[in-house]
Amino acid sequence: MTKSDIGIVGLGVMGANLALNLSDKGYRPCVYNRTSSVTSEFIETHGQGRDIAVADSFEQLVSQLGSPRVILLMVTAGRAVDAVIEQLRPLLEPGDIVIDGGNSNYQDSNRRWLELAAWGIHFVGMGVSGGEDGARFGPSLMPGGAAAAWPIIRDMFQAIAARVGGVPCCQWLGDGGAGHYVKMIHNGIEYGDMQLIAEVCHLMQHALGLSHDEMADCFAAWNGGRLESYLIEITARILRQRDRDGSPLVDKILDKAGNKGTGVWTAHDALDNAVPLTLIGEAVHARLLSARKAERIAAAALLGSVPALVPTLVPEAERAGYLDALHDALYAAKLVSYTQGFMLMQAAAAKNGWALPFGDIALLWRAGCIIRSRFLADIKTSFEREPVPPSLLQDPFFAAEIKASEAGWRQSVMLAVGHGVAAPALSSALSFYDGYRCANGSANIIQAQRDFFGAHTYQRIDSDEAKHFHTRWLGDGGEEIVS
Ligand code: NBP
């Protein structure tokens, strides 16, 4: 019997499309789905003329695979992954490879990597991005886990991944949960990019008074320049879409954003790692606020609603200038978001002992995934520079870019504040930028307050950093060296 190259467990949206992608590239998958009717339907619809094997049980699946066995799990993240691994594990042998391609939490992947290693089984946690289309025609793949698995699975996954200039968007990221960690950051950045675009749309509509077609034209034009990206491109298309009555469809879509938790994981992880990931945090909070629809309606009635609060739109003659400003604001804030995302990955790499390849990460997000953009090529170049800058904002190219965008960015934030249009991501990014480049900040006041009420001590700018001082604020005002 001809053995299959890879077993696929789960024929949902992603599993089915990855199976077809593998088949297109000359690999022979063997597919299994818990509900057998789904497998039958898949084979009836797509099996014609393809060399795809089918299994009715885990035993059958395992018996149809060559050695070492490679099994890709495309099931819902969480308990289902553990349940499948539990059933598969007794059927596997040392050296076999189990790949979890779902949106799993990286801590679960760390655990599964260790648990399966105890049985000699190589676990790979692989982030997959690009949705249905990506899975079918070229996703961005972020694998990590048991390094011994990589030489065995590399060719197969690089063959099905998206490519930029011939380079596959699939590179090994490190031990344990490194792959799922990078996927989590990708998702967090996706939250930030989406929030920034939504804020700019709201300003265009409620402060500049643009029609949906004018907004769409603007995004389409921006997509030809520095902001070129998948999300800008689809926003132009979304704004042009009409409902059955001919009115813009977006205005009929309820303004409550859903989420599957990966943004919250990213924000949480940033706090755990003491990294100021403000923009993604704001994007998560904005989704949480959006979900409180009934409360917002009541508040609008009581406090006055936007745009009724400031009914005056920017005069038409000034619109073009404001649109340029919004372009620059979007670009600069996006730069802050990626700066913060890479800061967090740098901290996580140090904490987990991962040698994350930052330039490669930028490259593997260049195509096949939701945050794909032209701008990621510049990030890749930045990480190739010698010496590597401590953060993207200190890279000579990005420093010049953000300075050139600053005036428009401030103008946009002032527009939002003046018109009462919420723009938490645009404005928090500007506050981060101002805080980041402030050599003498306001934390001296905080340190003095902490010492005043809690004797928490402070360091002095005119003394060795190792020395800590306390002032007897309510006593004689004298200062003492504490350590
Ligand atoms: P779907 O919801 O389309 O499919 C889920 C699959 O999991 C089905 O095949 C289902 O089998 C199977 N499954 C479940 Br649920 N519990 C199981 C169990 N205990 N044992 C065996 N199989 C089980 O999901 P999807 O959209 O294909 O996503 C799969 C993974 O990929 C998820 O982790 C998702 O977050 C991730 N992901 C999705 C996208 C996307 O755009 N959709 C993008 C990137 C990553 P059944 O037919 O018997 O219910």
Side-chain angles (χ1 to χ4, degrees):
M1 189 178 73
T2 314
K3 295 281 187 183
S4 292
D5 300 306
I6 182 168
I8 298 179
V9 176
L11 283 177
V13 176
M14 298 301 281
N17 283 291
L18 286 169
L20 295 172
N21 189 350
L22 282 156
S23 165
D24 283 351
K25 297 293 181 307
Y27 292 97
R28 182 175 202 260
C30 177
V31 297
Y32 166 83
N33 196 75
R34 177 181 58 175
T35 308
S36 57
S37 59
V38 174
T39 316
S40 318
E41 202 185 314
F42 172 78
I43 292 296
E44 270 166 40
T45 316
H46 304 286
Q48 198 81 24
R50 288 183 181 277
D51 192 10
I52 298 180
V54 173
D56 288 336
S57 64
F58 286 119
E59 287 79 3
Q60 233 185 57
L61 178 79
V62 167
S63 71
Q64 295 198 53
L65 300 176
S67 183
R69 302 179 184 94
V70 178
I71 301 179
L72 172 64
L73 313 186
M74 289 309 303
V75 302
T76 312
R79 286 218 310 268
V81 177
D82 286 319
V84 172
I85 291 177
E86 213 168 287
Q87 293 169 81
L88 276 173
R89 212 262 315 135
L91 308 171
L92 299 178
E93 289 169 359
D96 287 345
I97 298 166
V98 174
I99 305 163
D100 171 20
N103 263 340
S104 293
N105 187 301
Y106 81 96
Q107 284 160 334
D108 284 337
S109 298
N110 273 336
R111 170 178 58 79
R112 290 169 186 144
W113 169 63
L114 289 172
E115 284 172 1
L116 286 178
W119 297 92
I121 297 166
H122 302 315
F123 175 82
V124 174
M126 183 170 73
V128 178
S129 179
E132 185 174 0
D133 241 39
R136 180 69 186 84
F137 300 109
S140 164
L141 299 174
M142 294 153 250
W150 182 230
I152 301 164
I153 62 171
R154 180 179 47 216
D155 289 352
M156 180 156 41
F157 286 103
Q158 290 194 336
I160 64 163
R163 283 177 177 262
V164 179
V167 182
C169 296
C170 171
Q171 304 297 337
W172 188 252
L173 294 170
D175 286 345
H180 276 135
Y181 190 87
V182 172
K183 174 69 194 321
M184 178 187 80
I185 301 294
H186 163 283
N187 284 23
I189 286 177
E190 181 183 308
Y191 272 58
D193 281 358
M194 292 168 75
Q195 176 65 24
L196 287 171
I197 292 172
E199 289 176 13
V200 167
C201 283
H202 222 52
L203 282 166
M204 285 175 168
Q205 191 172 4
H206 297 300
L208 304 187
L210 259 56
S211 71
H212 289 70
D213 280 337
E214 287 169 330
M215 288 156 68
D217 289 344
C218 196
F219 279 101
W222 289 357
N223 200 40
R226 284 183 303 174
L227 286 173
E228 182 192 313
S229 63
Y230 172 71
L231 285 168
I232 293 283
E233 180 195 330
I234 66 165
T235 303
R237 297 181 64 168
I238 287 166
L239 288 165
R240 284 195 212 287
Q241 186 71 33
R242 302 282 142 182
D243 197 12
R244 287 178 294 269
D245 62 5
S247 65
L249 177 63
V250 271
D251 286 355
K252 300 275 180 65
I253 295 177
L254 187 66
D255 59 334
K256 280 170 78 169
N259 81 86
K260 288 194 172 164
T262 44
V264 174
W265 292 351
T266 316
H268 203 144
D269 194 75
L271 291 176
D272 282 346
N273 279 296
V275 173
L277 193 88
T278 54
L279 196 142
I280 294 171
E282 288 294 351
V284 172
H285 292 140
R287 288 199 191 189
L288 302 181
L289 181 58
S290 81
R292 295 175 174 243
K293 177 75 175 175
E295 200 176 329
R296 287 191 288 115
I297 290 172
L302 179 69
L303 304 169
S305 178
V306 178
L309 201 62
V310 184
T312 324
L313 295 172
V314 165
E316 215 170 321
E318 292 174 26
R319 270 191 197 167
Y322 271 106
L323 285 175
D324 287 344
L326 285 174
H327 170 278
D328 290 355
L330 189 45
Y331 181 71
K334 188 174 156 116
L335 220 158
V336 165
S337 181
Y338 283 68
T339 298
Q340 294 179 342
F342 277 90
M343 268 181 175
L344 179 52
M345 283 194 285
Q346 279 165 330
K351 182 168 141 187
N352 292 285
W354 295 327
L356 290 182
F358 299 109
D360 283 351
I361 291 170
L363 183 79
L364 57 85
W365 292 344
R366 273 280 280 124
C369 68
I370 306 301
I371 62 169
R372 58 186 182 258
S373 67
R374 180 194 283 198
F375 163 81
L376 282 158
D378 297 326
I379 296 184
K380 162 90 175 145
T381 311
S382 158
F383 281 110
E384 281 168 355
R385 272 191 248 290
E386 283 289 340
V388 172
S391 99
L392 290 176
L393 287 185
Q394 293 197 38
D395 174 83
F397 172 78
F398 286 121
E401 292 281 282
I402 205 158
K403 278 192 209 162
S405 304
E406 190 185 325
W409 191 9
R410 285 191 194 284
Q411 196 185 350
S412 300
V413 171
M414 286 191 283
L415 180 73
V417 172
H419 280 73
V421 175
L426 286 171
S427 55
S428 79
L430 184 55
S431 289
F432 175 86
Y433 175 65
D434 287 337
Y436 185 72
R437 66 200 180 92
C438 181
N440 290 303
S442 57
N444 53 337
I445 304 293
I446 292 168
Q447 285 299 81
Q449 289 168 337
R450 292 179 70 237
D451 190 56
F452 190 109
F453 65 68
H456 292 300
T457 75
Y458 52 84
Q459 295 147 294
R460 293 184 59 106
I461 57 171
D462 53 2
S463 170
D464 181 349
E465 269 204 29
K467 283 192 183 143
H468 288 75
F469 298 83
H470 169 61
T471 285
R472 294 181 294 273
W473 301 92
L474 294 175
D476 61 5
E479 187 182 63
E480 58 205 60
I481 298 177
V482 178
S483 64

